[in-house]
């Protein structure tokens, strides 16, 4: 058991994701991804293969894609390494919205 930042006790891998205003479908997909062991293990064990976060090379879209990879890695870190009771997908949601405007707004 680990203590998360808010002082709550969590078990690694047993984290909830808050709904950030109509993100329940995105959260469901994110939970499925981060609980696919080989996928999550890549981010935990092979972090050296993740592209640099601050690399300014490439288009704005390529930079946003790199940012998305790092925000996903952060959610995986919160869930599998910290054991937070609630993992914040805030940056991940922001990056998905930046890459795909169809997810903006209140429509499902």
């Amino acid at each position: 058991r680990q203590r998360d930042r808010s002082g709550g006790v969590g078990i690694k891998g047993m984290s909830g994701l808050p709904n950030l205003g109509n993100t329940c479908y995105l959260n469901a997909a994110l939970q499925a991804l981060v609980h696919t062991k080989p996928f999550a293990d890549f981010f935990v064990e092979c972090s050296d293969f993740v592209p640099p976060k601050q690399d300014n090379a490439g288009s704005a879209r390529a930079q946003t894609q790199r940012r998305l990879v790092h925000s996903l890695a952060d959610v995986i870190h919160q869930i599998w390494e910290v054991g937070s009771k609630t993992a914040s997908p805030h940056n991940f949601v922001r990056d998905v919205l930046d890459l795909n405007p169809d997810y903006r707004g209140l429509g499902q």
Side-chain angles (χ1 to χ4, degrees), residues 16-89:
L17 299 173
N19 189 351
L20 301 172
N22 204 32
T23 60
C24 52
Y25 292 121
L26 183 61
N27 283 355
L30 183 56
Q31 284 281 17
L33 280 175
V34 302
H35 286 90
T36 301
K37 187 157 176 45
F39 183 80
D41 285 350
F42 171 81
F43 285 92
V44 172
E45 298 169 6
C46 303
S47 60
D48 291 343
F49 293 104
V50 174
K53 186 176 188 175
Q54 299 300 329
D55 186 356
N56 290 327
S59 66
R61 183 170 180 82
Q63 291 174 24
T64 303
Q65 290 170 336
R66 278 193 297 278
R67 201 175 67 216
L68 176 70
V69 169
H70 282 273
S71 58
L72 175 59
D74 181 57
V75 173
I76 291 170
H77 172 78
Q78 290 176 61
I79 292 173
W80 289 108
E81 293 181 14
V82 176
S84 301
K85 285 179 73 175
T86 303
S88 174

Side-chain angles (χ1 to χ4, degrees), residues 2-23:
Q2 300 277 332
R3 284 210 173 267
D4 68 15
R5 294 177 195 126
S6 65
V9 175
I11 299 171
K12 291 180 181 181
M14 300 293 289
S15 300
L17 299 173
N19 189 351
L20 301 172
N22 204 32
T23 60

